[in-house]
Amino acid sequence: MKTVTILGATGSIGTSTLDLVERAPEAFQVIALTANGDVEKLAAAAIRTNARLAVVADERCYDALKDRLAGTGIATAAGADAVCEAARMGADWTMAAIVGCAGLKPSIAAVEQGKTVALANKESLVSAGDVMTAAVARHGATLLPVDSEHNAVYQCFDHANPGRVARVILTASGGPFRDTPAEAMASITPAQAVAHPNWSMGAKISVDSATLMNKGLELIEAFHLFPITADQLDVVVHRQSVVHSMVEYIDGSVLAQLGTPDMRTPIAYTLAWPDRMTTPGPRLDLAAVGRLDFDAPDYARFPCLKLARDCLKSGGARPTILNAANEIAVAAFLEERVGFLEIAAIVGDTLERYDPASPETLDAVLAIDAEARRLAAERVKDCVA
């Protein structure tokens, strides 16, 4: 029986993970579940899975969690440190699915246990790629990507002979505004931005998909996940979301991983690795799909993608700043404090104003992240004013 911890158990990825785990109770034992503040969903999941520990990051929610789980025998805790302690409980397999830079410390705490970490928190590698990969090597951990694109690449990549790989091609759906006229993009609302045409995701990730920042962050993540250079990474828009990504080899062969757009498939791949397990998702019917379309991304209409690619090539602290500024800008957009097009402007301005040395430690990463957030927040105030 494989022991499991889910960091971010009430989000989209966490919920899908629970669905798989609960379908095979003979195969998985839940050690710990964490959430930010959704006490009801967290407590219900902890009871269903008979988890040993339930942790809520928001300390204001602790009393409610404690009351909800009273008499169940399930331990409770609260706060950011408690989330990291949950990650240190030594589960065989940990899902790192806390959205944003808030997931960085818990993800590294899980890596330090030297077990298997399924990484759905792309910001960990974007903000602290070198620090994260060094921790993986130092502690002998196995890091498996959960993002459908990186999971697809992982399945197609020749890990034993990386020199045979010529190019890694990440696919992008193009988001909900791939056909929206440029003149109409300034008036896009948060409700429109979170309505992804193919995937069911949280608000922040959905907005990132709408700006194509998500694909830019994935380029940076792929750079740290696979032994390739920045020049070997490419993006293609594929609106059906059937081909999840591709690996091109030096002989011209291209291997692709295909499937229906259901996150339970890549999650299951990491959960059962190195084996495979049955999933409940619909099977791919290519005859019903009928056609597969591919287009080059429009860097002019989606400047966030260009900003991310530039940060990837520059390296150093640039990806950390990019991610921090984007989180502030997206939050402001969701609160209707800034417009859709101002997200890229805020990120670009923060990158222009701040250029520290490359971080070599987690504390340095967090310090750069904090300063970038401060500068981005100032820029948001200018937009509101």
Side-chain angles (χ1 to χ4, degrees):
M1 181 175 284
K2 184 178 291 185
T3 54
V4 170
T5 286
I6 305 175
L7 307 174
T10 60
S12 175
I13 296 296
T15 300
S16 293
T17 304
L18 283 166
D19 178 69
L20 293 169
V21 169
E22 291 178 60
R23 289 172 185 271
E26 74 288 349
F28 304 108
Q29 178 186 356
V30 175
I31 300 297
L33 300 175
T34 80
N36 183 45
D38 194 335
V39 168
E40 189 56 38
K41 283 186 69 175
L42 175 63
I47 292 171
R48 291 197 314 270
T49 60
N50 194 29
R52 296 182 194 171
L53 173 68
V55 179
V56 64
D58 188 340
E59 295 183 10
R60 297 170 298 179
C61 301
Y62 178 64
D63 288 341
L65 178 65
K66 188 175 181 181
D67 290 344
R68 181 68 174 79
L69 292 177
T72 64
I74 299 171
T76 57
D81 289 342
V83 173
C84 289
E85 286 305 309
R88 295 189 182 101
M89 290 182 69
D92 298 323
W93 183 93
T94 298
M95 168 58 76
I98 299 174
V99 176
C101 199
L104 177 55
K105 277 189 173 181
S107 296
I108 289 184
V111 163
E112 289 173 346
Q113 307 316 300
K115 303 294 183 66
T116 299
V117 177
L119 188 67
N121 171 261
K122 65 174 59 66
E123 291 86 357
S124 293
L125 282 176
V126 172
S127 296
D130 292 340
V131 173
M132 184 84 167
T133 54
V136 170
R138 187 166 60 251
H139 295 281
T142 298
L143 191 66
L144 300 175
V146 172
D147 274 351
S148 61
E149 296 84 357
H150 302 96
N151 190 270
V153 173
Y154 193 91
Q155 294 190 49
C156 297
F157 200 92
D158 188 344
H159 300 275
N161 300 284
R164 297 174 180 174
V165 173
R167 192 166 54 128
V168 166
I169 307 165
L170 303 182
T171 57
S173 71
F177 310 124
R178 58 198 175 200
D179 299 317
T180 301
E183 60 272 15
M185 295 184 75
S187 60
I188 287 169
T189 67
Q192 293 172 316
V194 300
H196 195 282
N198 298 343
W199 297 93
S200 175
M201 304 183 293
K204 194 267 181 183
I205 298 175
S206 294
V207 174
D208 283 348
S209 179
T211 63
L212 290 196
M213 178 63 88
N214 200 45
K215 205 53 49 182
L217 298 178
E218 288 172 6
L219 285 172
I220 299 170
E221 184 181 9
F223 174 77
H224 291 290
L225 282 170
F226 304 103
I228 52 177
T229 67
D231 291 335
Q232 288 177 285
L233 284 163
D234 207 352
V235 172
V236 65
V237 175
H238 168 54
R239 59 185 62 222
Q240 289 92 355
S241 294
V242 169
V243 178
H244 297 304
S245 278
M246 296 169 274
V247 176
E248 178 186 314
Y249 285 85
I250 56 176
D251 61 358
S253 298
V254 178
L255 303 188
Q257 188 265 338
L258 285 70
T260 55
D262 187 330
M263 283 305 299
R264 288 176 297 184
T265 301
I267 293 170
Y269 179 83
T270 67
L271 187 57
W273 187 89
D275 297 320
R276 289 185 184 262
M277 62 185 287
T278 301
T279 64
R283 291 328 191 225
L284 179 62
D285 184 343
L286 285 173
V289 173
R291 59 183 288 174
L292 300 175
D293 298 298
F294 300 93
D295 299 288
D298 188 336
Y299 288 92
R301 292 181 65 230
F302 295 97
C304 281
L305 180 56
K306 185 178 187 305
L307 286 170
R309 186 175 274 285
D310 290 345
C311 286
L312 168 60
K313 291 182 177 180
S314 299
R318 308 302 281 168
T320 310
I321 299 166
L322 174 89
N323 180 71
N326 181 63
E327 287 193 21
I328 294 296
V330 170
F333 169 70
L334 288 169
E335 295 167 358
E336 300 185 341
R337 297 169 60 207
V338 302
F340 182 76
L341 295 181
E342 289 173 311
I343 294 174
I346 291 166
V347 175
D349 181 73
T350 306
L351 285 164
E352 288 183 4
R353 296 173 61 192
Y354 187 40
D355 189 20
S358 178
E360 296 182 0
T361 65
L362 179 57
D363 286 342
V365 170
L366 294 174
I368 292 170
D369 176 86
E371 177 62 11
R373 288 171 188 273
R374 186 188 69 79
L375 292 171
E378 286 184 358
R379 182 67 166 77
V380 168
K381 289 180 180 178
D382 292 339
C383 292
V384 175

